[in-house]
């Protein structure tokens, strides 16, 4: 069944207001295919009935629509290079600025199913000697209920653990549950907290951080929203702290107090 022009406009406006995400009007097919699954799941009749639930802000409809219209693609050590660069170049330098016996605070601002914060947690575990008595606290947030509950379970299937994760880490940091599933060990997951957080809402739950990852999410926003989010995120970063954008992302919309890393241009330091 096709979506009417009027319904498409309503949905585009709804998702922009709820999440900040800009969906262009030619994404009719994406809206149709993803929302038809929501309609089925909630046992609704058609797009009109879903939209009327959204107009009345029925919780299940809102939650499921947001879940359906976010793109959660991710994998362990995504793009590899930034993680290697973090481990070899950034971490040793960053640690010097964090007093011993205090906490290293990291925020993954759109963490999807958890591969990104868990990758960071494994790197920090591997570099325990460098951390000395410092504790690590990684806060990982996302707007999607469904993806945050998957992330906090810490269970990944065979396909997921074969994407980006070195076999040595799989053996060392995961327990095999059954033929197709692995669970990340407590020694890694205990340093990661998952919370729901909408990047266009308030950031009250976020403490000032030494490192912020905000990767592969800004692409979904228009410039005005991007700029607003980058401004708010930057206020949660300590002086000398680092901001990682996605590998091919750079931004001229960042506040002026950043220094761009010359070797890896998607990494910025707050000066
Ligand atoms: C493509 S994934 C990127 C995951 C990870 N950072 C990476 O690079 O692999 C984008 C994530 O951003 C989340 N997202 C989209 N809009 C958001 C918003 N307004 N607030 C918080 N998270 C949002 C989506 O739910 C999705 O999980």
């Amino acid at each position: 069944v096709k979506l009417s022009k009027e319904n498409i406009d309503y949905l585009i406006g709804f998702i922009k207001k709820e999440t900040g995400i800009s969906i262009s009007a030619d994404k009719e097919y994406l809206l149709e295919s993803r929302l038809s699954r929501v309609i089925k799941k909630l046992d609704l009749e058609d797009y009109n009935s879903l939209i009327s639930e959204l107009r009345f802000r029925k919780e299940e409809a809102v939650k499921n629509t947001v879940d359906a219209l976010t793109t959660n693609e991710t994998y362990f050590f995504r793009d590899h290079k930034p993680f290697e660069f973090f481990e070899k170049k950034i971490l040793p330098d960053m640690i010097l600025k964090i007093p011993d016996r205090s906490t290293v605070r990291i925020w993954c601002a759109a963490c999807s199913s958890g591969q990104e914060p868990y990758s960071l947690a494994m790197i920090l575990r591997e570099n325990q000697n460098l951390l000395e008595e410092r504790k690590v606290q990684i806060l990982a947030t996302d707007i999607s209920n469904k993806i945050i509950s998957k992330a906090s379970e810490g269970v990944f299937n065979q396909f997921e653990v074969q994407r980006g994760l070195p076999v040595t880490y799989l053996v060392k940091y995961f327990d095999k549950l059954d033929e197709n599933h692995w669970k990340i060990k407590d020694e890694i997951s205990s340093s990661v907290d998952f919370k729901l957080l909408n990047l266009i809402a308030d950031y009250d739950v976020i403490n000032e951080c030494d490192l912020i990852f905000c990767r592969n999410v800004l692409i979904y926003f228009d410039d005005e929203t991007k700029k607003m989010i980058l401004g708010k995120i930057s206020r949660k970063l300590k002086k000398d702290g680092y901001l990682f954008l996605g590998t091919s992302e750079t931004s001229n919309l960042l506040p002026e107090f950043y220094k761009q890393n010359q070797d890896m241009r998607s990494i910025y330091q707050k000066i």
Side-chain angles (χ1 to χ4, degrees):
V1 200
K2 301 269 281 165
L3 266 164
S4 67
K5 167 90 176 64
E6 195 190 345
N7 283 349
I8 290 177
D9 290 346
Y10 175 80
L11 287 164
I12 288 175
F14 175 83
I15 211 69
K16 174 86 200 280
K17 191 153 151 276
E18 278 312 300
T19 70
I21 296 173
S22 295
I23 297 177
S24 59
D26 60 356
K27 292 281 162 60
E28 202 177 315
Y29 171 75
L30 177 132
L31 288 170
E32 280 166 4
S33 68
R34 294 198 184 176
L35 294 181
S36 61
R37 274 177 257 152
V38 176
I39 290 168
K40 210 172 191 174
K41 182 174 170 204
L42 300 182
D43 213 9
L44 297 168
E45 209 151 295
D46 53 17
Y47 295 119
N48 287 332
S49 39
L50 174 62
I51 285 168
S52 107
E53 302 257 309
L54 294 176
R55 287 191 199 275
F56 285 106
R57 302 209 51 81
K58 296 275 181 61
E59 198 185 329
E60 281 304 300
V62 173
K63 250 176 28 187
N64 281 282
T65 300
V66 169
D67 285 350
L69 293 177
T70 51
T71 301
N72 308 120
E73 162 69 4
T74 189
Y75 52 91
F76 288 102
F77 299 93
R78 184 172 190 167
D79 304 329
H80 186 71
K81 275 220 167 81
F83 287 94
E84 192 182 65
F85 197 82
F86 169 68
E87 181 169 17
K88 298 278 176 291
K89 304 273 196 243
I90 305 280
L91 182 62
D93 179 63
M94 190 177 105
I95 279 303
L96 296 177
K97 310 243 167 60
I98 304 170
D100 201 12
R101 294 176 206 280
S102 65
T103 302
V104 182
R105 287 185 198 282
I106 299 175
W107 177 26
C108 280
C111 66
S112 189
S113 37
Q115 284 89 331
E116 182 175 84
Y118 289 138
S119 299
L120 283 168
M122 285 184 270
I123 290 180
L124 290 157
R125 186 77 189 79
E126 291 283 312
N127 289 276
Q128 192 64 49
N129 58 334
L130 211 65
L131 296 177
E132 296 179 349
E133 303 282 304
R134 296 170 186 86
K135 288 206 196 67
V136 174
Q137 203 179 74
I138 303 176
L139 181 61
T141 63
D142 200 281
I143 197 177
S144 162
N145 278 275
K146 194 169 142 203
I147 212 73
I148 280 291
S149 63
K150 170 170 166 46
S152 49
E153 272 173 24
V155 175
F156 297 93
N157 65 28
Q158 195 65 35
F159 173 70
E160 290 166 325
V161 297
Q162 276 167 354
R163 290 185 79 194
L165 183 69
V167 176
T168 47
Y169 285 12
L170 176 63
V171 173
K172 205 161 155 187
Y173 296 126
F174 290 75
D175 291 318
K176 193 164 186 175
L177 296 181
D178 59 39
E179 270 319 294
N180 196 34
H181 295 92
W182 300 78
K183 188 175 191 336
I184 194 141
K185 290 192 168 151
D186 285 350
E187 64 174 295
I188 300 300
S189 59
S190 61
S191 60
V192 188
D193 272 329
F194 290 96
K195 286 203 169 89
L196 269 180
L197 184 135
N198 185 346
L199 287 170
I200 62 166
D202 68 62
Y203 297 6
D204 293 351
V205 296
I206 311 292
N207 291 313
E208 271 207 316
C209 303
D210 302 292
L211 171 68
I212 298 178
F213 267 45
C214 180
R215 305 177 68 221
N216 305 302
V217 65
L218 294 172
I219 38 168
Y220 301 106
F221 306 123
D222 62 21
D223 277 2
E224 191 190 344
T225 313
K226 258 187 219 172
K227 190 167 181 183
M228 185 260 286
I229 291 174
L230 286 168
K232 292 201 310 171
I233 282 182
S234 302
R235 274 176 244 135
K236 294 294 180 179
L237 189 62
K238 287 185 195 159
K239 183 179 172 302
D240 298 322
Y242 292 90
L243 171 67
F244 278 57
L245 302 179
T247 302
S248 55
E249 295 176 296
T250 54
S251 192
N252 51 2
L253 300 168
L254 278 166
E256 66 286 357
F257 47 68
Y258 280 106
K259 190 170 84 192
Q260 188 174 32
N261 188 291
Q262 291 311 300
D263 296 317
M264 196 154 274
R265 303 188 65 82
S266 55
I267 303 175
Y268 294 83
Q269 186 174 24
K270 186 168 175 177
I271 50 173

